[in-house]
């Protein structure tokens, strides 16, 4: 009986605890309150800038092959190759730079003429102003182009109902290992319903 009362008290205390820095309430009640405030919210444009560390080689890869077609090995564009990835997002291009989240998703080589990827993934923020929030990205990524624009198709937390563009450019690549570092500049329209204020190195409100 005593243990049961202690457990109930812990549940109550956790429910009453304030949300941490950058965390937005994602309970059903919190989401409902957010949408009720939405008609009075102001839409804002935020610019995000960070680096995406994609490691295929070594003992601890962040991207692993999960499928390939019967044509992949003989294809000049690796047609059909598919990888699942969980890549660190960092403030600078150095692998040892401060980590602010992860890029998690799938990319597939989908062109028989060019080395081009179909990207479907999330930016998952784990530190700073947008800790606990995500952005969902989808689009065409031709690796030989200097700049590749993909669509921001949604998000969660601070980025509910988000839309915008994510521009990728290759910061560093190794053709032998297929490891790479991608620089991302993201322009996202989202709603300011109050709270979650502050500045971070990788964020610029516009």
């Amino acid at each position: 009986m005593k243990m049961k009362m202690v457990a109930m008290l812990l549940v109550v205390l956790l429910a009453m605890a304030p949300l941490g820095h950058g965390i937005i309430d994602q309970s059903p009640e919190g989401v409902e309150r957010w949408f009720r405030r939405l008609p009075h919210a102001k839409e804002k444009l935020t610019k995000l800038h960070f680096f995406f560390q994609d490691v295929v080689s070594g003992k601890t890869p962040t991207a692993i092959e999960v499928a390939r077609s019967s044509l992949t090995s003989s294809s000049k564009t690796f047609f059909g190759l598919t990888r699942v990835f969980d890549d660190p997002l960092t403030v600078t291009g150095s692998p040892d730079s401060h980590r602010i989240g992860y890029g998690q998703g799938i990319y597939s080589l989908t062109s028989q003429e060019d080395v081009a990827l179909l990207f479907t993934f999330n930016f998952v923020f784990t530190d700073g102003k947008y800790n606990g929030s995500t952005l969902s990205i989808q689009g065409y990524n031709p690796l030989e182009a200097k700049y590749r624009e993909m669509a921001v198709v949604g998000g969660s937390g601070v980025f509910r109902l988000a839309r915008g563009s994510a521009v990728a450019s290759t910061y560093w690549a190794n053709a032998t290992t297929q490891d790479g570092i991608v620089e991302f500049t993201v322009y996202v329209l989202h709603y300011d319903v109050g709270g979650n204020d502050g500045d971070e190195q990788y964020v610029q409100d516009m």
Side-chain angles (χ1 to χ4, degrees):
M1 184 67 178
K2 186 176 180 180
M3 292 297 295
K4 186 175 180 180
M5 291 179 64
V6 171
M8 290 178 64
L9 179 61
L10 285 172
V11 170
V12 172
L13 289 174
L14 287 171
M16 294 173 62
L19 296 173
H21 175 67
I23 297 290
I24 188 169
D25 188 356
Q26 297 187 39
S27 68
E29 297 78 12
V31 173
E32 181 176 346
R33 285 193 296 271
W34 188 92
F35 274 96
R36 289 186 182 279
R37 293 196 300 267
L38 187 59
H40 308 288
K42 181 180 179 181
E43 192 171 42
K44 63 188 293 187
L45 173 64
T46 295
K47 177 184 176 182
L48 306 173
H49 178 260
F50 43 77
F51 294 80
F52 180 98
Q53 311 272 349
D54 191 59
V55 180
V56 178
S57 65
K59 295 181 179 180
T60 56
T62 62
I64 59 171
E65 183 178 324
V66 295
R68 61 169 54 214
S69 76
S70 59
L71 302 176
T72 299
S73 297
S74 58
S75 169
K76 65 179 182 180
T77 64
F78 304 99
F79 181 58
L81 177 66
T82 300
R83 290 184 179 132
V84 172
F85 61 91
D86 182 10
D87 291 344
L89 303 179
T90 56
V91 172
T92 73
S94 170
D96 298 323
S97 174
H98 179 66
R99 185 179 300 176
I100 51 93
Y102 297 88
Q104 299 176 336
I106 298 173
Y107 59 76
S108 296
L109 279 296
T110 54
S111 173
Q112 296 190 65
E113 301 298 325
D114 304 297
V115 182
L117 307 173
L118 167 64
F119 253 43
T120 302
F121 70 105
N122 295 314
F123 289 132
V124 182
F125 298 104
T126 59
D127 183 68
K129 183 177 182 179
Y130 298 127
N131 181 17
S133 297
T134 68
L135 282 172
S136 296
I137 313 295
Q138 184 168 335
Y140 172 65
N141 186 356
L143 295 184
E144 294 179 357
K146 183 176 180 180
Y147 299 111
R148 292 93 67 185
E149 181 181 357
M150 290 166 277
V152 176
V153 297
S156 67
V158 174
F159 295 119
R160 289 176 190 142
L161 305 182
R163 64 191 194 279
S165 293
V167 180
S169 60
T170 301
Y171 179 79
W172 173 85
N174 185 312
T176 302
T177 64
Q178 298 183 16
D179 296 342
I181 300 173
V182 180
E183 183 175 7
F184 270 96
T185 306
V186 184
Y187 300 90
V188 55
L189 286 167
H190 60 111
Y191 293 94
D192 184 0
V193 295
N196 297 285
D197 292 328
D199 293 317
E200 303 293 337
Q201 293 182 46
Y202 62 99
V203 173
Q204 180 181 344
D205 295 332
M206 303 176 67

